[in-house]
């Protein structure tokens, strides 16, 4: 006696077709999984390269004091000692107007400071980066540099020179007079507002220790 069940040709064809479709779907799903996995791996592998000498492009300062002034610096490197930063500048003649900025335990080499990103031109191939930061100069008023924030935010060199002339005629003395002497020396050295801001920040953050940075 035969117990085998007979199937029609249509039933056999549908079963074969279903098997083929299931196989194709499985291959597509596996392929998609491999593509997604590889893509994530590539992103993690390449990522955004952060140079050891400084941060890329622009960063947004966080937790800055309410009266802090947002600025952007052209950064060439960051060092663990003032000596190594100074040596870096000495070895590159193009950095004659650069300055060392100390913030915490780091020493940054900057060559310009602007009010906007567009003022600072950088080149990753040359190792320069745009560094966003904020400066709080409110403590500088106690040492006669109460106009420091106003000067840093100025966009016209003539207005700075006018301010210097007005203060000279006022006959200020002591630390206020020293501030104006510094301003006179810097503006005689350069008319580039980006350099003026840089040199003022370098002096009042290190020698006077009243300008405080937030990154």
């Amino acid at each position: 006696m035969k117990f085998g069940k007979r199937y029609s040709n249509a039933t056999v064809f549908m079963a074969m077709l279903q098997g083929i479709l299931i196989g194709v779907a499985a291959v597509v799903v596996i392929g998609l999984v491999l593509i997604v996995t590889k893509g994530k791996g590539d992103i993690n592998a390449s990522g955004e390269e952060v140079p050891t000498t400084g941060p890329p492009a622009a960063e947004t300062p966080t937790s800055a004091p309410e009266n802090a002034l947002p600025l952007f610096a052209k950064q060439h490197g960051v060092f663990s000692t003032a000596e190594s930063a100074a040596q870096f500048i000495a070895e590159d003649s193009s950095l004659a107007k650069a300055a060392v900025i100390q913030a915490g335990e780091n020493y940054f080499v900057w060559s310009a400071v602007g009010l906007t990103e567009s003022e600072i031109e950088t080149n990753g191939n040359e190792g320069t980066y745009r560094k966003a930061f904020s400066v709080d100069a409110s403590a500088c008023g106690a040492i006669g540099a109460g106009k420091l924030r106003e000067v840093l935010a100025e966009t016209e060199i003539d207005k700075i020179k006018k301010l210097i002339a007005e203060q000279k005629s006022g006959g200020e003395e002591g630390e206020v007079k020293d501030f104006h002497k510094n301003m006179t020396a810097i503006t005689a050295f350069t008319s580039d507002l980006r350099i003026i801001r840089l040199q003022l920040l370098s002096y009042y953050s290190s020698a006077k220790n009243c300008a405080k940075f937030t990154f």
Side-chain angles (χ1 to χ4, degrees), residues 91-170:
E91 293 175 350
D92 190 341
S93 59
S94 68
L95 298 179
K97 294 183 179 180
V100 177
I101 302 291
Q102 180 180 2
E105 298 181 354
N106 293 321
Y107 296 85
F108 299 93
V109 173
W110 294 348
S111 62
V113 173
L115 294 172
T116 63
E117 291 186 60
S118 60
E119 288 184 69
I120 305 300
E121 297 180 359
T122 61
N123 189 328
N125 294 328
E126 295 177 353
T128 56
Y129 304 90
R130 190 178 295 111
K131 178 77 171 180
F133 68 101
S134 293
V135 61
D136 180 8
S138 57
C140 296
I143 60 169
K147 295 286 187 178
L148 178 59
R149 189 187 191 282
E150 179 181 339
V151 173
L152 292 173
E154 187 53 71
T155 58
E156 296 181 28
I157 184 63
D158 288 341
K159 290 185 178 181
I160 293 178
K161 291 181 177 180
K162 182 180 179 181
L163 174 63
I164 296 172
E166 290 174 350
Q167 297 300 332
K168 280 183 178 180
S169 63

Side-chain angles (χ1 to χ4, degrees), residues 20-201:
I20 293 173
L21 292 176
I22 292 174
V24 171
V27 171
V28 171
V29 170
I30 293 173
L32 289 174
V33 170
L34 290 175
I35 291 172
V36 172
T37 302
K38 184 178 184 301
K40 290 182 178 180
D42 290 343
I43 292 174
N44 292 332
S46 60
E48 182 179 357
E49 185 178 356
V50 180
T52 57
T53 56
E59 295 178 346
T60 302
T62 57
S63 303
E66 184 177 352
N67 59 343
L69 178 67
L71 296 167
F72 298 87
K74 182 174 183 178
Q75 179 167 301
H76 297 260
V78 56
F79 303 85
S80 58
T81 66
E83 292 75 14
S84 57
Q87 181 64 30
F88 179 81
I89 292 176
E91 293 175 350
D92 190 341
S93 59
S94 68
L95 298 179
K97 294 183 179 180
V100 177
I101 302 291
Q102 180 180 2
E105 298 181 354
N106 293 321
Y107 296 85
F108 299 93
V109 173
W110 294 348
S111 62
V113 173
L115 294 172
T116 63
E117 291 186 60
S118 60
E119 288 184 69
I120 305 300
E121 297 180 359
T122 61
N123 189 328
N125 294 328
E126 295 177 353
T128 56
Y129 304 90
R130 190 178 295 111
K131 178 77 171 180
F133 68 101
S134 293
V135 61
D136 180 8
S138 57
C140 296
I143 60 169
K147 295 286 187 178
L148 178 59
R149 189 187 191 282
E150 179 181 339
V151 173
L152 292 173
E154 187 53 71
T155 58
E156 296 181 28
I157 184 63
D158 288 341
K159 290 185 178 181
I160 293 178
K161 291 181 177 180
K162 182 180 179 181
L163 174 63
I164 296 172
E166 290 174 350
Q167 297 300 332
K168 280 183 178 180
S169 63
E172 286 84 358
E173 297 182 357
E175 292 180 322
V176 175
K177 185 177 181 179
D178 289 339
F179 173 68
H180 298 135
K181 286 176 61 178
N182 292 334
M183 289 295 305
T184 301
I186 293 173
T187 52
F189 169 69
T190 179
S191 294
D192 189 334
L193 289 171
R194 299 171 302 169
I195 306 300
I196 292 173
R197 295 188 193 103
L198 171 65
Q199 296 299 328
L200 286 172
L201 287 174

